[in-house]
Amino acid sequence: MSMKEKDVVQEPPCTSESLSNYLWKDKPDEDKWADCVHCGMCLEACPTYELTGQEQHSPRGRVHLIKSVADGKLEVNEQFMDPVFACLDCKACTTACPADVDVGGLIEEARGQIRQAMPLTGWRGAVSKFFLHRLFPHPGRLQSAGNLLKLYQKSGIQTAVRKTGLLKMMPEHLATMETVMLEVKQSVRKKYHKEEVVKAKGETKNEVAFLTGCVMDVMFSDINDSTVNVLTRNGNDVAIPKKQTCCGALHVHAGDRDMGRKLAKQNIEAFEDADTVVANAAGCGCMLTEYPELFREEEIEWRERAEKFADKVVDVSKYLHDSGYEKPKAEINTKLTYHDACHLAHGQGVRQEPRDILLDIPGVEMVQMPNADRCCGSAGIYNITNPEMADGVLESKMENVPEEVEMISMGNPGCMLQMAMGVEKYGRNEKVVHTIQLLDWAYQKEDKQRGQT
Amino acid sequence: MIISDLISDLTSMLPDSHVEEKSSPNQFFGNDGDIIISPKTENDIAAVLHYANENNKKMNIAGNGTKRGFGGTENKADILLSLSDYKGIIEHTVGDMTITVKPGTPFQELQDYLSTHNQKISLDPSHPEEATIGGVIAANDSGPKRLGYGSARDHVIGLRMAYPNGEIIRSGGKVVKNVAGYDMNKLFVGSMGTLGVVTEIVLKLRPLPKYESLMLLTFEKESKEEIRSFAVQFLDSMMEPVSMELLNPELAEKLTGQKVLTLAIAFEDVESSVHYQEEFVKNMKSGASQMTILAQQEAKEFWKRFNYLFPNGQREQNGLAAEAVVKVGVKNLDVIQILKESDWLEDAHNVSVHAHGGLGHGLCQVHLQGAQDDIIKAIDSLRKTVKQLNGYAVIKHLPLALRQVIDVWGGKPSYFFLLEGIKTKIDPKKTLNPKRYVGGL
Amino acid sequence: MLRKKGLKTHDKHIKKLAAIVGPKEILFHKEELISYESDGFTIHSHMPKAVVFPTNTEEVAEVVKYCSDNDLPFLARGAGTGLSGGAIPLNGEVIISLVKMKRLLSVDLENRRAVVEPGYVNLKLTNSISDKGYYYAPDPSSQYCCTIGGNVAENAGGAHCLKYGVTTNHILGLEVVTPTGKIMEIGHDGIPDAPGYDLLGILTGSEGTLGIVTKITVRILKNPEEKQTVLAYFDDVADGSQAVSDIVSAGIVPAALEMMDKIAIEGVESAAFPVGHPKDIEALLLIEVDGISAGINEQINEILDVCKKRNVRSVKVAQDDEERAKWWANRKTGFGAMGTISPDYLVQDGVIPRSTLPEVLKRIGEISKESGLRIANIFHAGDGNLHPLILFDSRIPGQTDKALEAGSACLQACADAGGSITGEHGVGIEKREEMRFVFSDKEIEAQTDIREVFNPHYLLNAGKLFPSPGRCAEVKKELKAAE
């Protein structure tokens, strides 16, 4: 038997008008998917599509899924959750999209629906609750977690763990992560806890407020240190508002938009007096600029304040680039490459500024990394929640890191951790650095040389 | 039915066409008919086809007969349909750069007309004065400028075909870009008249180049490596030759008087660009011992002579000597090997060989002259070499007697069932050009 | 998260297909399939039965054979960027996704060819050989993501096909799985003019109804020595279109000759890649000339002269690659950019003889008025390939139908002007009925005859390309077959 032409379905254009299956508050925004014309320009930009080749793991596929729930064709369930939570939030699709569809915003809204429909249970729920509710919003506690980590590192247990092969008993991805945990030093907030404002070295030209970030300040405290050094050296008074808290990015990515709003409000208030809010973690900076999105449907009275706040936020590299900085005179002779953090390049459109800063350091030779703005797979805590996919993304990232470089520079702590893991896992030996750190080192070297002469 | 009945049937049916008995069918090349019909209208063409198809008559199709020696194993069919009276330009839209013509129009006539508008059909088939555009299309012919020009399949944008049942089927259209439905033009171009009779052809045109020149390079040592390395180096440059044809010494002698392996490089562009490219070649370390530049008219005349080097089906021969023209397709640079092989054939099989091939596309033509047996042997041996290079060898011109003993198409491809399926769908009674094509289609 | 669960299904066909391609390479849950209910053409949608991801030719052939033997309709899909609905599973097909067959198999610069798998993305080919100075010419606007397999199916064009031709002019060889599961190699080693009917020619542009391409040998070209790009603004559309004719009549063959009208400019300027075109101009031309450096300036000057004669408001030449790239990004993302000025759009793809440009544009203006819908025009003016973009909002009842009617009317206008209903997007589902504007019933039957030769059981991509038999000869044929 064969199919006859007359058996072929000739359906009329679809005009289904059915009930939305989004039953909770803060619904995905219809206007966002209305812009999507399903052209497919986003496909090749998406790391999870590259890996799987499956449309439901592509930006337009996800948008279509989200729309299908609103059209009543799908329900909010486990199968819907998979592709929505597999998104890395890297926003590369937003850059690729000719119509500027806010895929990231839709995904986060959809995650909000999923979390309200299906609260996390079991160990995932517990872990998530511990990190997102008990830890990140409380710098003090993070500090002590940091202390714990410090204890762990200092006490020799770390060495013991590594030596005894206990590592092998940990899940593989956690084991790799452990090996790259950085040495924890004193956080900036603790260091400057007595000062409202860290004064500029020399004449004050500008005043800025500094978002220290929660993880950044504890686990990457030396980067924060460098940031304060670089800012003050270039004539900036740096305020570190005490009331500031976690930016909420991880909460919003996880679908916990209520907590996201709570943290957003606290930050908006904390930085109310500042004209410029400088961030050195791309993920945090990007989140701050997206606060208005959180108040689209809920607590709309905050929307305007959020917009005003968002306009003040700027990444440290862009801030330095725009406000001017002193070119270091000491040489750092190194060959390096630059990795575009997603939330810097795609999220904030900052691409050239950090590169210019690096090239201004005498002795630095930059090697172009192919697909430099491809996600590394860190994506907040994605590498913890979706290890398999994150590994695949990391592998393709590491393949692009040029062989001959000594350092990989970038502007986001999450990326740094992930790239450090990549270096470890693939037996490479590049050093992973923050752009501002390198600038600070050049300044320090310059000062030292001046001191010697 | 006896021939006279057939003639009277057709004469009454086709008042506008010339119908006559063919007194002495072409014994030498075959593909002839008992009667010859020369229609002047599409209606008549359709009517003849319909008649033949209904009455189980076989029919050969011809233009001016230059490809009479290309394919086919029969001396004659019932009818020879000649399109040589069905000629002329139907429409030329200068601004659109398209032209619609009847198939019997000689190619050169078209080019001469178009040149008055500074336009041309971007093709350089052999025997342009005699060859009709219909024949060029049916055989998908191309010449030494294939590299820059492409082939007939690249220029045909629309066709009207009379199917064997007499229906007129249009394919393509009058626009240069068109993907509505299947690209049926492609099916008909090169189908050797086995699917239908072309009654109208729409071609896209190109502007006449403002300047042209030809560089002839000869290589003293005539070593394969030397030529290859020059070709590779030149093809890797950004120059834009329209031809890069390698000529074997015998062929070169006919054209230039010098019996030496010669590379002909042609440029067509604005004058400054052509000279710039000539300079580029001069400055290359080519290893060439001699470089001659022919400009404008001189170049044109060279190519004109080139296009008349080989025999065509209009010309019969006497005696036991025969001529063959073999079209060889290989990978671009393997052309060098085919040309070397041709030289070897000369000694091994006592034939004279004139050969040329394009380094930018891999198509060669090998002209063999000699005793019939020797020609068969030479072709067999050439085919062995070609097979090793994954290529093919199709005999474009050969006397009927030899076509009956050697498969001019070189066997059936693995997908022959598709070719056969197409033929059977369109011409189930095998009315048109019987046994003229691949695998006896 | 990749689905790790085992196959939970009782469907014997799914089980069997999973056994061929592997349990991780098949999708069959509703939530996984819904993304495959349409391609770049969203007005129609239909759910597939399953999606399989073969990784080699043999798997494709096995899947096809299984479907063919078991009367399961099936079709091939690449990136799903087609604009005429060619990859929509109208009959609940098993979709054979070729995106995992995405390797570049070989590059032979000396003989100027490359062999790719069908899922290989168009632009990646150029990117992978550009350091050696080579490129692959067909450049559809979706080249960032569309696959070469899809390009072959649609005979894709692009902005630069004016000079260099469309996909069919660049295909040297194909490996094809026939609809009954046989593997065929056509155009051995990419050697041109293989004896026999031109199957490469008929397969290219057959919109996935004659076979599934599993390997493609393409011609690659050396980069032109120099490239110059001109941007010209016109206050009158007629002047702009006249300039197009004049340029071509002057004996110049530009590599690309593109035009956008006022609404289109509004769209691209409010989207992701604005150039800063003035808002009040009626038309712009983007003209690219390439070739030997020594001859380029002469041509550019001639183009500038033509523009001036045709009352150009301003005209400029791109100063560097960056500026050129900016202009092209603006143009190439033009369709998607319509999302910023309209919730939905329908893009049409008519072709007309270049000389009829002014009258057809006028007619499109009338159609816009009659339908009450805005129509933007982005098109390849050099080869007369129009892309009227009909802007509408599917949420407003009746607007979708109106847009479809307006689209059809635009195609009628093109056909009336002696043109065609599609230049590069294909017929697919979208323009099946409009095929009647250009072909008679018998001519359509001549084409479906060819389909029967390749696709005898009619299980591969059924219902595409040709109008449904209603009054046409095919019905008679169907009846005959039934007798």
Side-chain angles (χ1 to χ4, degrees), chain A residues 1-5 8-11 30 34-35 38 40-41 43-44 49-50 52-53 55 60 64-65 73 77 86 98-99 388, chain C residues 1 4 30-31 36-37 39 44 71 77 79-80 91 99-100 102 124 141 144-145 271 336 339 343 395 432 451 457-458 469 474 478:
Chain A
M1 214 204 92
S2 70
M3 260 180 79
K4 292 282 149 51
E5 189 91 58
V8 169
V9 190
Q10 308 266 347
E11 277 189 322
E30 188 183 333
D35 285 353
H38 221 247
M41 289 295 215
L43 295 175
E44 285 298 305
Y49 178 75
E50 183 191 32
T52 62
E55 286 259 352
R60 75 166 177 188
H64 192 66
L65 277 170
K73 289 192 209 163
N77 58 19
E388 200 184 325
Chain C
M1 217 174 304
K4 291 186 216 79
K30 188 173 158 197
E31 288 78 7
Y36 291 87
E37 65 175 359
D39 54 14
H44 268 83
D71 278 326
R77 177 178 168 121
N91 314 290
V99 296
K100 294 219 163 155
K102 56 173 177 181
K124 284 192 178 166
S141 292
Y144 304 102
C145 50
R395 294 168 297 187
R432 287 178 300 198
R451 185 185 65 202
H457 309 306
Y458 198 33
E474 238 175 301
E478 297 288 330

Coordinates of all heavy atoms in Angstrom, one line a residue, chain A residues 1-5 8-11 30 34-35 38 40-41 43-44 49-50 52-53 55 60 64-65 73 77 86 98-99 388, chain C residues 1 4 30-31 36-37 39 44 71 77 79-80 91 99-100 102 124 141 144-145 271 336 339 343 395 432 451 457-458 469 474 478:
Chain A
M1 N 0.8 -1.2 0.0 CA 0.0 0.0 0.0 C 0.9 1.2 0.0 O 1.9 1.3 0.6 CB -0.9 0.0 1.3 CG -2.2 0.6 1.1 SD -2.9 1.2 2.6 CE -2.4 2.9 2.6
S2 N 0.4 2.2 -0.6 CA 1.2 3.5 -0.6 C 0.3 4.6 -0.3 O -0.9 4.5 -0.4 CB 1.9 3.7 -1.9 OG 0.9 4.0 -2.9
M3 N 0.9 5.7 0.0 CA 0.1 6.9 0.3 C -0.4 7.6 -0.9 O 0.4 7.9 -1.8 CB 0.9 7.9 1.2 CG 0.6 7.7 2.6 SD 1.5 8.8 3.6 CE 0.6 10.2 3.3
K4 N -1.6 7.9 -0.9 CA -2.2 8.6 -2.1 C -2.2 10.1 -1.8 O -2.4 10.5 -0.7 CB -3.6 8.1 -2.4 CG -3.6 6.6 -2.8 CD -3.1 6.5 -4.3 CE -2.4 5.2 -4.6 NZ -3.0 4.0 -4.2
E5 N -2.2 10.8 -2.9 CA -2.2 12.3 -2.7 C -3.4 12.7 -1.9 O -3.4 13.6 -1.1 CB -2.2 12.9 -4.1 CG -2.1 14.4 -4.2 CD -0.6 14.8 -4.3 OE1 0.1 14.4 -5.3 OE2 -0.1 15.5 -3.5
V8 N -3.3 12.8 1.9 CA -2.4 13.8 2.5 C -3.2 14.9 3.2 O -4.1 15.4 2.6 CB -1.4 14.4 1.4 CG1 -0.7 15.6 2.0 CG2 -0.5 13.3 0.9
V9 N -2.8 15.1 4.4 CA -3.6 16.0 5.2 C -3.4 17.5 4.7 O -2.3 17.9 4.5 CB -3.1 16.0 6.7 CG1 -4.1 16.8 7.5 CG2 -3.1 14.6 7.2
Q10 N -4.5 18.1 4.4 CA -4.3 19.5 4.0 C -5.0 20.4 5.1 O -6.2 20.7 5.0 CB -5.0 19.8 2.7 CG -4.6 18.8 1.6 CD -3.4 19.3 0.7 OE1 -3.2 20.5 0.8 NE2 -2.8 18.5 0.0
E11 N -4.3 20.7 6.1 CA -4.9 21.4 7.2 C -5.1 22.9 7.0 O -4.2 23.4 6.3 CB -4.1 21.2 8.5 CG -4.3 19.9 9.2 CD -3.6 19.9 10.5 OE1 -2.5 20.4 10.6 OE2 -4.2 19.3 11.5
E30 N 3.9 37.3 27.0 CA 3.5 37.0 25.6 C 4.2 37.9 24.6 O 4.6 37.4 23.5 CB 2.0 37.3 25.6 CG 1.4 36.8 24.3 CD -0.1 37.2 24.2 OE1 -0.7 37.3 25.2 OE2 -0.6 37.3 23.1
A34 N 6.1 36.8 21.0 CA 5.4 37.3 19.8 C 6.5 37.8 18.8 O 6.3 37.8 17.6 CB 4.5 38.4 20.2
D35 N 7.6 38.3 19.4 CA 8.7 38.8 18.5 C 9.4 37.6 17.7 O 10.1 37.9 16.7 CB 9.8 39.5 19.3 CG 9.3 40.9 19.7 OD1 8.2 41.3 19.2 OD2 10.0 41.6 20.5
H38 N 10.6 32.4 14.6 CA 11.1 31.0 14.3 C 12.1 30.9 13.2 O 12.1 29.9 12.4 CB 9.8 30.1 14.0 CG 9.9 28.8 14.7 ND1 10.0 27.6 14.0 CD2 9.8 28.4 16.0 CE1 10.0 26.6 14.8 NE2 9.9 27.0 16.1
G40 N 15.3 30.7 13.2 CA 16.4 29.7 13.4 C 17.8 30.3 13.5 O 18.8 29.6 13.6
M41 N 17.9 31.7 13.4 CA 19.2 32.3 13.5 C 19.9 32.0 14.8 O 21.1 32.2 15.0 CB 19.1 33.8 13.3 CG 18.8 34.2 11.9 SD 20.0 33.8 10.7 CE 19.9 35.2 9.6
L43 N 20.0 29.1 16.4 CA 20.4 27.7 16.6 C 21.9 27.5 16.8 O 22.3 26.9 17.8 CB 20.0 26.9 15.4 CG 18.5 26.7 15.2 CD1 18.2 26.0 13.9 CD2 17.8 26.0 16.3
E44 N 22.7 28.1 15.9 CA 24.1 27.8 16.0 C 24.8 28.6 17.2 O 25.9 28.3 17.5 CB 24.8 28.2 14.7 CG 24.6 27.2 13.6 CD 25.1 25.8 13.9 OE1 26.3 25.7 14.2 OE2 24.3 24.8 13.9
Y49 N 22.2 23.3 22.0 CA 21.8 22.8 20.6 C 23.0 22.2 19.9 O 22.9 21.2 19.3 CB 21.1 23.9 19.8 CG 20.7 23.4 18.4 CD1 19.6 22.6 18.2 CD2 21.5 23.7 17.3 CE1 19.3 22.1 17.0 CE2 21.2 23.3 16.0 CZ 20.0 22.5 15.9 OH 19.7 22.0 14.7
E50 N 24.1 22.9 20.0 CA 25.3 22.4 19.4 C 25.6 21.0 19.9 O 26.0 20.1 19.2 CB 26.5 23.3 19.7 CG 27.8 22.8 19.0 CD 29.1 23.6 19.5 OE1 29.1 23.9 20.7 OE2 30.0 23.8 18.7
T52 N 23.5 18.8 21.5 CA 22.4 17.8 21.4 C 21.9 17.7 20.0 O 21.4 16.6 19.6 CB 21.2 18.1 22.3 OG1 20.7 19.3 21.9 CG2 21.7 18.2 23.8
G53 N 21.9 18.8 19.2 CA 21.3 18.8 17.9 C 19.7 18.7 18.0 O 19.1 18.6 17.0
E55 N 16.0 20.2 18.8 CA 15.4 21.6 18.8 C 14.8 22.0 20.1 O 14.8 23.2 20.4 CB 14.3 21.6 17.8 CG 14.8 21.6 16.3 CD 14.7 23.0 15.7 OE1 14.1 23.9 16.3 OE2 15.2 23.1 14.6
R60 N 15.0 28.8 20.0 CA 13.6 28.9 19.4 C 12.8 27.8 19.8 O 11.5 27.9 20.0 CB 13.7 29.1 17.9 CG 14.0 27.8 17.1 CD 13.7 27.9 15.7 NE 14.0 26.7 15.0 CZ 14.0 26.5 13.7 NH1 13.7 27.5 12.9 NH2 14.4 25.3 13.1
H64 N 9.3 28.2 21.7 CA 8.1 27.5 21.2 C 7.4 26.6 22.3 O 6.2 26.6 22.4 CB 8.5 26.6 20.0 CG 7.3 26.1 19.2 ND1 6.5 26.9 18.5 CD2 6.8 24.9 19.1 CE1 5.6 26.2 17.9 NE2 5.7 25.0 18.3
L65 N 8.3 26.0 23.1 CA 7.7 25.2 24.2 C 6.9 26.1 25.2 O 5.8 25.8 25.6 CB 8.8 24.5 25.0 CG 9.4 23.2 24.4 CD1 10.6 22.8 25.2 CD2 8.3 22.1 24.6
K73 N -1.2 23.8 24.7 CA -0.9 22.5 24.1 C 0.0 21.6 25.0 O 0.0 20.4 24.8 CB -0.1 22.8 22.8 CG -0.9 23.4 21.7 CD -0.1 23.4 20.4 CE -0.4 24.5 19.5 NZ 0.6 24.7 18.4
N77 N 5.1 20.4 33.3 CA 5.5 19.1 33.9 C 6.9 18.8 33.8 O 7.7 19.6 33.3 CB 4.6 18.0 33.3 CG 4.8 17.9 31.8 OD1 5.8 18.4 31.2 ND2 3.9 17.3 31.1
A86 N 17.7 23.1 31.2 CA 18.9 22.8 30.5 C 19.6 24.0 29.9 O 20.7 24.0 29.5 CB 18.8 21.7 29.5
P98 N 17.9 38.3 15.4 CA 17.7 39.6 14.6 C 16.5 40.4 15.2 O 16.5 41.6 15.0 CB 17.2 39.1 13.2 CG 17.4 37.6 13.2 CD 17.5 37.2 14.6
A99 N 15.6 39.8 15.9 CA 14.5 40.5 16.5 C 14.6 40.8 18.0 O 13.7 41.3 18.6 CB 13.2 39.8 16.2
E388 N 26.6 16.9 33.1 CA 26.9 16.2 31.8 C 26.9 17.2 30.7 O 27.9 17.3 29.9 CB 25.8 15.2 31.5 CG 26.2 14.1 30.6 CD 25.0 13.2 30.2 OE1 24.2 12.9 31.1 OE2 24.9 12.8 29.1
Chain C
M1 N 19.3 19.1 30.2 CA 19.5 17.7 30.7 C 19.1 16.8 29.6 O 18.0 16.9 29.0 CB 18.6 17.5 31.9 CG 19.2 16.6 32.9 SD 18.1 16.6 34.3 CE 17.9 18.3 34.7
K4 N 17.8 10.6 30.0 CA 18.6 9.4 30.3 C 17.8 8.2 30.5 O 18.2 7.0 30.4 CB 19.5 9.6 31.6 CG 20.6 10.6 31.4 CD 21.4 10.7 32.6 CE 21.9 12.1 32.8 NZ 20.9 13.0 33.5
K30 N 5.8 14.0 23.5 CA 5.1 15.2 22.9 C 5.9 16.5 23.2 O 6.1 17.3 22.3 CB 3.8 15.3 23.7 CG 2.8 16.4 23.2 CD 1.5 16.2 23.9 CE 0.7 17.5 23.9 NZ -0.3 17.4 25.0
E31 N 6.5 16.6 24.4 CA 7.2 17.8 24.7 C 8.5 17.9 23.9 O 9.0 19.0 23.6 CB 7.6 17.9 26.2 CG 6.4 18.1 27.1 CD 5.6 16.9 27.3 OE1 5.9 15.8 26.9 OE2 4.5 17.0 28.0
Y36 N 9.3 20.4 16.7 CA 9.5 20.0 15.3 C 8.2 20.1 14.5 O 8.0 19.6 13.4 CB 10.0 18.5 15.2 CG 11.4 18.4 15.7 CD1 11.7 18.2 17.1 CD2 12.4 18.5 14.8 CE1 13.0 18.1 17.5 CE2 13.8 18.3 15.3 CZ 14.0 18.2 16.6 OH 15.3 18.1 17.0
E37 N 7.2 20.7 15.1 CA 5.9 20.8 14.4 C 5.9 21.8 13.3 O 5.0 21.8 12.4 CB 4.7 21.1 15.4 CG 4.8 22.4 16.0 CD 3.5 22.7 16.9 OE1 2.6 21.8 16.9 OE2 3.4 23.8 17.5
D39 N 8.8 24.5 10.7 CA 10.2 24.9 10.5 C 10.2 26.4 10.5 O 9.5 27.0 11.3 CB 10.7 24.3 9.2 CG 9.9 24.5 8.0 OD1 8.9 25.4 8.0 OD2 10.1 23.8 6.9
H44 N 1.7 26.9 9.2 CA 1.2 25.5 9.3 C 2.0 24.8 10.4 O 3.2 25.1 10.6 CB 1.5 24.7 8.1 CG 0.3 24.7 7.1 ND1 0.1 25.7 6.2 CD2 -0.7 23.8 6.9 CE1 -1.0 25.5 5.5 NE2 -1.5 24.3 5.9
D71 N 5.2 1.3 5.5 CA 4.2 2.3 5.2 C 4.2 3.5 6.2 O 3.1 4.1 6.5 CB 2.8 1.7 5.1 CG 2.6 1.1 3.8 OD1 3.1 1.6 2.8 OD2 1.9 0.0 3.7
R77 N 15.1 16.5 7.6 CA 15.1 17.8 8.1 C 16.6 18.2 8.4 O 17.3 17.4 9.0 CB 14.3 17.9 9.4 CG 14.3 19.3 10.0 CD 13.3 19.3 11.2 NE 13.5 20.5 12.1 CZ 12.5 21.3 12.3 NH1 11.3 21.2 11.9 NH2 12.8 22.4 13.1
A79 N 18.4 22.1 9.5 CA 18.3 23.1 10.6 C 16.8 23.6 10.8 O 16.5 24.3 11.7 CB 19.2 24.3 10.4
G80 N 16.0 23.3 9.8 CA 14.6 23.7 9.9 C 14.4 25.2 9.8 O 13.6 25.8 10.5
N91 N 2.0 14.7 7.6 CA 1.3 13.4 7.7 C 1.8 12.7 8.9 O 1.7 11.4 8.9 CB 1.5 12.6 6.4 CG 1.3 13.4 5.2 OD1 0.1 13.8 4.9 ND2 2.3 13.8 4.5
V99 N 21.1 16.7 11.5 CA 22.0 17.6 12.1 C 23.2 17.0 12.8 O 24.2 17.6 13.1 CB 21.3 18.5 13.2 CG1 20.3 19.4 12.5 CG2 20.6 17.7 14.3
K100 N 23.1 15.7 13.0 CA 24.3 15.0 13.6 C 25.2 14.5 12.6 O 26.3 14.0 12.9 CB 23.8 13.8 14.5 CG 23.0 14.4 15.7 CD 23.3 13.6 17.0 CE 22.9 14.4 18.2 NZ 22.6 13.6 19.3
K102 N 27.3 16.1 10.6 CA 27.7 17.5 10.4 C 29.2 17.7 10.2 O 29.8 18.7 10.6 CB 27.2 18.4 11.5 CG 27.6 18.0 12.9 CD 27.2 19.0 13.9 CE 27.6 18.6 15.3 NZ 27.2 19.5 16.3
K124 N 29.9 27.6 8.0 CA 31.1 26.9 8.5 C 32.1 26.5 7.4 O 33.3 26.4 7.6 CB 30.7 25.7 9.3 CG 30.1 26.0 10.7 CD 30.0 24.9 11.6 CE 29.5 25.3 12.9 NZ 29.0 24.2 13.7
S141 N 20.6 34.1 3.4 CA 20.6 34.9 4.5 C 20.7 34.1 5.8 O 21.3 34.6 6.8 CB 19.4 35.8 4.6 OG 19.5 36.7 3.5
Y144 N 24.2 31.4 8.6 CA 24.8 31.2 9.9 C 24.4 29.9 10.5 O 25.0 29.3 11.4 CB 24.4 32.3 10.9 CG 24.7 33.7 10.4 CD1 23.7 34.5 9.9 CD2 26.0 34.2 10.5 CE1 24.0 35.8 9.5 CE2 26.3 35.5 10.1 CZ 25.3 36.3 9.6 OH 25.6 37.6 9.1
C145 N 23.2 29.4 10.1 CA 22.7 28.3 10.8 C 22.1 27.2 9.8 O 21.9 26.1 10.2 CB 21.6 28.7 11.8 SG 20.4 29.8 11.1
A271 N 16.0 46.9 14.7 CA 16.4 45.6 15.2 C 17.9 45.6 15.7 O 18.5 46.6 16.0 CB 16.2 44.6 14.1
G336 N 14.2 38.4 10.0 CA 13.9 38.2 11.5 C 13.7 39.6 12.1 O 12.9 39.7 13.1
G339 N 10.3 41.1 13.2 CA 9.7 40.8 14.5 C 9.6 42.0 15.4 O 8.8 42.1 16.2
P343 N 4.2 41.5 15.1 CA 4.3 40.2 15.7 C 4.5 39.1 14.8 O 5.1 38.1 15.1 CB 2.9 40.1 16.4 CG 2.3 41.4 16.3 CD 3.0 42.2 15.2
R395 N -2.8 37.2 16.2 CA -3.7 37.2 17.4 C -5.0 37.9 17.0 O -6.0 37.7 17.7 CB -3.0 37.8 18.6 CG -1.9 37.0 19.1 CD -1.0 37.7 20.1 NE -0.4 38.9 19.5 CZ 0.5 39.7 20.2 NH1 0.8 39.4 21.4 NH2 1.0 40.7 19.6
R432 N 1.9 25.7 -2.7 CA 1.4 24.6 -3.5 C 0.3 25.0 -4.5 O 0.4 24.7 -5.7 CB 0.8 23.5 -2.6 CG 1.7 22.7 -1.8 CD 1.1 21.7 -0.9 NE 0.2 22.4 0.0 CZ -0.3 21.8 1.1 NH1 0.0 20.6 1.4 NH2 -1.1 22.4 1.9
R451 N 8.5 12.4 -9.8 CA 8.5 12.0 -8.4 C 8.2 10.6 -8.3 O 8.8 9.9 -7.5 CB 7.5 12.9 -7.7 CG 7.4 12.6 -6.2 CD 6.3 13.3 -5.5 NE 5.0 12.9 -5.9 CZ 3.9 13.6 -5.8 NH1 3.9 14.8 -5.3 NH2 2.8 13.1 -6.2
H457 N 6.4 4.9 -3.6 CA 5.3 4.6 -2.6 C 4.8 5.9 -2.0 O 3.9 5.9 -1.2 CB 5.8 3.7 -1.5 CG 6.4 2.5 -2.0 ND1 5.8 1.6 -2.9 CD2 7.7 2.0 -1.8 CE1 6.6 0.6 -3.2 NE2 7.8 0.8 -2.6
Y458 N 5.4 7.0 -2.4 CA 5.0 8.4 -2.0 C 4.9 8.5 -0.5 O 4.0 9.0 0.1 CB 3.6 8.7 -2.6 CG 3.3 10.2 -2.6 CD1 4.3 11.1 -2.7 CD2 2.0 10.6 -2.4 CE1 4.1 12.5 -2.6 CE2 1.7 12.0 -2.4 CZ 2.8 12.9 -2.5 OH 2.5 14.2 -2.4
P469 N -4.6 17.4 -5.7 CA -5.4 17.1 -6.9 C -6.8 17.5 -6.6 O -7.4 17.1 -5.7 CB -5.2 15.6 -7.1 CG -4.8 15.1 -5.7 CD -4.2 16.2 -5.0
E474 N -4.1 14.8 -12.1 CA -3.6 13.8 -11.2 C -4.8 13.0 -10.7 O -4.6 11.8 -10.4 CB -2.9 14.4 -10.1 CG -1.5 13.9 -10.0 CD -0.7 14.6 -8.9 OE1 -0.6 15.8 -9.0 OE2 -0.3 13.9 -8.0
E478 N -5.1 9.1 -10.5 CA -5.4 8.4 -9.3 C -6.5 7.3 -9.6 O -6.4 6.2 -9.1 CB -5.9 9.3 -8.2 CG -4.8 10.3 -7.7 CD -3.7 9.7 -6.9 OE1 -4.0 8.7 -6.2 OE2 -2.6 10.2 -7.0

